[in-house]
């Protein structure tokens, strides 16, 4: 059974650490678990203690990855290096190893490049997990579906026995919502991006972008008709809207759960997976 209350507590602590740039005091003799998530819209660093409690976290917006592929290697390395150095300075420890993740089905060179980014930033890579499995680690989800609505894509993954057995990736996500919003308000996309995140305009914004959410829910519905499974979780930054999971629940006729601070589920899960097995 997924304990959503406990998951939300971890997410809330992590979010607070990220926003305040403070860290949770920890035992410097014990190993820290480090995760680096190279996403389409940001790079996130997550650091946990042995009990998977958040110690430190940070992120930087970046467009160095597109559809799961690293498109700007040098900038990716620079950002990871910077995030790691900042963390080392604040925590007073050296970080030597980390886990990272790729979208399911990433193969060959595309797979290797992601570890190379970390290695060029001075980190030994303990493991490369796939993103939905990482999310499932934080949720402690043995069986169910993870719907990850990120910047560029929406990935729907079926988890059985803690592993991804089936997945699809659709080229729609938060970026698509921003484009719709930019068109509606006749403003440039970066401005639409800010409007999208403005909580005081949430109900108006959600009405405008709802067709995008409907489309995502519809894709999910079709996929789950072939692979019926429960429970259903939605994660990823673009699912931040209050009514997001309600739209999904209505379409699917099933409960869809969305953890708080859904943009941090995968990064924290990556850090959990960093432990060498
Ligand atoms: N508060 C918010 N309200 C609405 N949308 C948000 C909010 N915060 C982030 N987003 C959107 O979430 C998306 C990024 O989500 P996330 O951080 O999960 O993606 P990513 O991991 O970088 O990308 P991907 O998983 O596609 O590689 C962006 O489109 C961003 O605009
Ligand atoms: Mg992501």
């Amino acid at each position: 059974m997924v304990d959503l209350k406990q998951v939300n507590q971890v997410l809330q602590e992590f979010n607070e650490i990220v926003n305040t740039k403070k860290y949770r005091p920890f035992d410097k003799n014990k190993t820290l678990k480090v995760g680096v998530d190279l996403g389409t819209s940001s790079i996130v660093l997550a650091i946990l203690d042995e009990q998977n409690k958040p110690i430190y976290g940070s992120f930087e917006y970046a467009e160095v990855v597109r559809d799961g592929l690293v498109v700007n290697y040098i900038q990716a390395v620079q950002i990871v290096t910077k995030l790691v150095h900042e963390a080392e300075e604040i925590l007073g420890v050296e970080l030597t190893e980390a886990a990272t993740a790729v979208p399911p089905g990433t193969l060959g060179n595309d797979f290797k490049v992601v570890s190379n980014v970390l290695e060029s930033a001075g980190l030994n890579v303990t493991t490369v997990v796939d993103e939905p499995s990482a999310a499932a680690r934080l949720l402690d989800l043995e069986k169910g579906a993870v719907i990850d609505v990120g910047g560029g894509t929406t990935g729907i993954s079926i988890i059985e026995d803690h592993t991804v057995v089936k997945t699809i990736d659709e080229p729609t996500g938060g970026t698509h919502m921003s484009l719709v919003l930019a068109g509606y308000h006749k403003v440039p996309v970066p401005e639409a991006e800010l409007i999208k995140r403005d909580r005081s305009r949430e109900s108006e914004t959600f009405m405008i972008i709802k067709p995008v959410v409907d489309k995502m829910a519809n894709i999910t519905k079709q996929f789950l008709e072939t692979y019926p499974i429960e429970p259903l979780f939605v994660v990823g930054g673009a699912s931040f809207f209050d009514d997001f999971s309600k739209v999904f629940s209505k379409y699917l006729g099933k409960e869809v759960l969305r953890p708080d601070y859904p943009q941090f589920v995968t990064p924290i899960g990556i850090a959990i997976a960093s432990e060498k097995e």
Side-chain angles (χ1 to χ4, degrees):
M1 257 297 274
V2 176
D3 185 348
L4 195 57
K5 223 173 131 192
Q6 201 195 324
V7 170
N8 281 338
Q9 198 182 331
V10 172
L11 285 161
Q12 193 176 344
E13 278 173 29
F14 187 80
N15 181 64
E16 205 176 308
I17 289 170
V18 168
N19 287 326
T20 56
K21 294 229 165 214
K22 286 201 183 117
Y23 66 93
R24 179 209 284 266
F26 62 103
D27 182 348
K28 288 193 180 171
N29 298 314
K30 297 220 167 111
T31 323
L32 292 174
K33 298 186 186 179
V34 183
V36 177
D37 186 5
L38 301 175
T40 308
S41 46
S42 66
I43 296 182
V44 187
L45 171 71
I47 305 182
L48 313 174
D49 69 8
E50 284 175 332
Q51 277 75 48
N52 296 332
K53 286 213 165 68
I55 298 296
Y56 179 82
S58 57
F59 74 91
E60 184 153 322
Y61 292 117
E63 288 176 10
V64 295
V65 173
R66 209 168 292 147
D67 299 332
L69 308 180
V70 177
V71 290
N72 191 333
Y73 188 85
I74 293 174
Q75 207 194 341
V77 173
Q78 279 169 350
I79 294 172
V80 176
T81 307
K82 180 179 155 233
L83 292 175
V84 168
H85 281 170
E86 269 175 12
E88 288 179 329
E89 212 148 278
I90 290 172
L91 298 175
V93 292
E94 198 192 345
L95 304 174
T96 54
E97 49 187 42
T100 188
V102 292
T106 308
L107 300 167
N109 201 38
D110 296 335
F111 184 93
K112 243 194 135 259
V113 166
V114 176
S115 332
N116 289 348
V117 168
L118 268 71
E119 267 153 23
S120 299
L123 294 167
N124 290 320
V125 177
T126 51
T127 178
V128 183
V129 282
D130 64 73
E131 288 168 359
S133 301
R137 284 297 286 268
L138 172 63
L139 299 169
D140 199 14
L141 180 68
E142 192 210 330
K143 188 171 168 239
V146 174
I147 305 146
D148 181 1
V149 194
T153 57
T154 294
I156 308 158
S157 305
I158 306 292
I159 311 276
E160 273 173 23
D161 236 345
H162 300 280
T163 23
V164 174
V165 291
K166 190 79 203 167
T167 190
I168 54 160
D169 229 0
E170 288 291 321
T172 181
T175 310
H176 193 171
M177 294 173 181
S178 302
L179 286 172
V180 169
L181 215 49
Y184 181 89
H185 290 298
K186 300 191 174 57
V187 295
V189 176
E191 200 177 321
E193 183 69 38
L194 296 178
I195 296 173
K196 187 176 74 172
R197 290 162 192 254
D198 182 349
R199 290 300 99 178
S200 70
R201 299 178 74 167
E202 175 158 351
S203 53
E204 182 207 4
T205 296
F206 196 71
M207 244 163 45
I208 301 162
I209 56 116
K210 191 164 171 289
V212 181
V213 183
D214 286 336
K215 188 178 165 219
M216 291 165 178
N218 207 4
I219 294 166
T220 309
K221 185 171 182 232
Q222 284 173 24
F223 184 65
L224 292 177
E225 271 163 11
T226 326
Y227 301 95
I229 201 161
E230 274 183 273
L232 307 173
F233 281 92
V234 60
V235 303
S239 71
F240 212 96
F241 299 95
D242 270 346
D243 287 338
F244 193 96
S245 56
K246 274 191 214 140
V247 172
F248 266 67
S249 296
K250 213 169 151 197
Y251 252 87
L252 302 171
K254 284 177 187 161
E255 189 178 27
V256 178
L257 301 163
R258 197 220 57 196
D260 297 338
Y261 310 102
Q263 72 275 34
F264 294 137
V265 175
T266 303
I268 295 174
I270 297 172
I272 294 175
S274 79
E275 197 169 25
K276 279 184 190 149
E277 267 137 36

